[in-house]
Amino acid sequence: MDARWDSDCGGGLRWQIFTWNSGYDYKNAISNGCLFNLAARLARYTGNGTKYVEVAERVWNWMDDVGFFAEEADGTMRIYDGANVPNCTDVTTWRWSYTYGVFLSGCAYMYDFTNDTKWQTRADEILKASMFFFNNSIMQESTCQPYLMCNNDQRSFRSLFSRCLGLTSILMPETASTIRPLLEASAEGAAATCSGGGYRDACWQDWSLGPYDGYSSVLADQVSALEVINALLVQEPLTIKTGSSDDTNSETSSDVDDSVNDSNSATTGTATAGAAKVRILILPVSPAMAAWMIF
């Protein structure tokens, strides 16, 4: 992602990667927010206080310089959507929940890793500004949802926003007293809507109306409802020291029945052989599938 950083607008990532994509001439907050968030997570995970921190700092400073970060008269922070190259002078002032989320949790990761209070302050500012996306403690995509104008993509934004709120409440426990009640109220409202459709199990867009809002349900609504509930179950993110890739038995609790481990060992060979057979079957099929999808 960092390799896509270019000189138009003084830096930043474009919304699209390829020149023929609509939106290639647009630089937006979410593209750069994802780079910022990933850099912050990698800094904390790897313990690399130079490489990844430098990327996160550069993204944050560019967002500020280009005007995608703004401040209202009352001091509330705003994160705007983006602007067109080459100068990014005409900023699109739409606000989206997932953009606030990726920058919020990115700041929380940076604060947890660096212990630099500037990241704590920035996270607090974004969290305060994020109240724009709640109506009586119920999460909503406020730029479009009250007007029934959200497209399918926009109806999914609360999924990432929810996940980022949950992570922030863990990485910065002092924010939990603000975040948890909002997630709980939103999760309860979202769960209540999951009673529609032909099988009465589809979730809906408006989490404040009880059973369902009567409008068509799309996949994005299911994703958002799932993630706001999952956000209440999130645990502390791992690091390279607390995580484990191969030595899983070293963290097995002492009260696990040894027969489980014996069973796992006995089936390893069978599972490996089965996986090999699956690969043999899949390899010749994959090019045919790719050709079918392309042509």
Side-chain angles (χ1 to χ4, degrees):
M1 290 179 71
D2 194 42
R4 291 170 44 214
W5 192 273
D6 65 33
S7 60
D8 283 330
C9 303
L13 298 188
R14 296 170 184 264
W15 181 23
Q16 301 292 337
I17 297 176
F18 303 111
T19 56
W20 57 83
N21 286 145
S22 177
Y24 179 76
D25 60 350
Y26 192 70
K27 293 198 171 183
N28 63 348
I30 189 59
S31 298
N32 290 278
C34 287
L35 176 59
F36 170 77
N37 187 279
L38 185 57
R41 289 161 56 193
L42 285 169
R44 181 184 179 275
Y45 181 81
T46 63
N48 190 325
T50 302
K51 178 180 179 181
Y52 298 118
V53 169
E54 186 276 330
V55 173
E57 292 270 14
R58 172 157 42 86
V59 175
W60 182 277
N61 292 335
W62 177 80
M63 286 281 297
D64 196 29
D65 292 341
V66 81
F68 294 174
F69 290 152
E71 187 175 301
E72 293 185 341
D74 63 358
T76 303
M77 182 181 187
R78 286 196 176 195
I79 304 177
Y80 292 141
D81 185 69
N84 287 310
V85 300
N87 299 316
C88 292
T89 52
D90 187 14
V91 177
T92 303
T93 59
W94 294 335
R95 290 175 284 169
W96 305 110
S97 62
Y98 71 159
T99 309
Y100 282 64
V102 295
F103 278 104
L104 173 63
S105 63
C107 287
Y109 274 99
M110 289 294 288
Y111 177 54
D112 184 78
F113 175 60
T114 67
N115 205 34
D116 188 334
T117 56
K118 74 179 180 184
W119 296 112
Q120 180 187 37
T121 299
R122 289 167 176 174
D124 288 338
E125 290 175 347
I126 298 173
L127 180 57
K128 179 182 178 182
S130 296
M131 296 304 105
F132 172 70
F133 300 104
F134 291 90
N135 180 21
N136 294 325
S137 298
I138 303 295
M139 191 184 298
Q140 65 176 20
E141 197 60 46
S142 300
T143 297
C144 58
Q145 185 181 321
Y147 318 106
L148 302 178
M149 295 290 290
C150 296
N151 63 30
N152 288 354
D153 286 345
Q154 293 155 3
R155 288 165 75 162
S156 75
F157 290 173
R158 286 176 294 175
S159 63
L160 187 54
F161 183 46
S162 298
R163 180 181 297 188
C164 291
L165 285 171
L167 287 165
T168 300
S169 70
I170 297 297
L171 293 164
M172 293 179 58
E174 65 271 26
T175 65
S177 60
T178 298
I179 293 174
R180 293 286 296 190
L182 295 171
L183 286 177
E184 289 169 359
S186 297
E188 184 175 353
T193 72
C194 297
S195 58
Y199 295 97
R200 299 191 62 79
D201 59 359
C203 306
W204 304 82
Q205 180 179 187
D206 193 332
W207 299 342
S208 67
L209 296 180
Y212 65 94
D213 58 16
Y215 294 92
S216 61
S217 177
V218 297
L219 175 61
D221 296 328
Q222 323 311 313
V223 172
S224 291
L226 176 64
E227 283 293 342
V228 75
I229 295 170
N230 281 346
L232 293 167
L233 307 176
V234 69
Q235 298 180 17
E236 183 175 355
L238 298 176
T239 69
I240 203 167
K241 293 181 179 180
T242 60
S244 177
S245 58
D246 297 317
D247 190 18
T248 52
N249 288 333
S250 65
E251 293 185 10
T252 303
S253 93
S254 58
D255 60 353
V256 173
D257 191 335
D258 287 339
S259 64
V260 174
N261 291 328
D262 293 340
S263 174
N264 289 340
S265 299
T267 57
T268 299
T270 304
T272 303
K277 292 177 182 177
V278 170
R279 284 195 294 271
I280 290 171
L281 290 171
I282 288 176
L283 283 174
V285 174
S286 296
M289 288 292 292
W292 177 77
M293 287 188 289
I294 292 170
F295 295 107

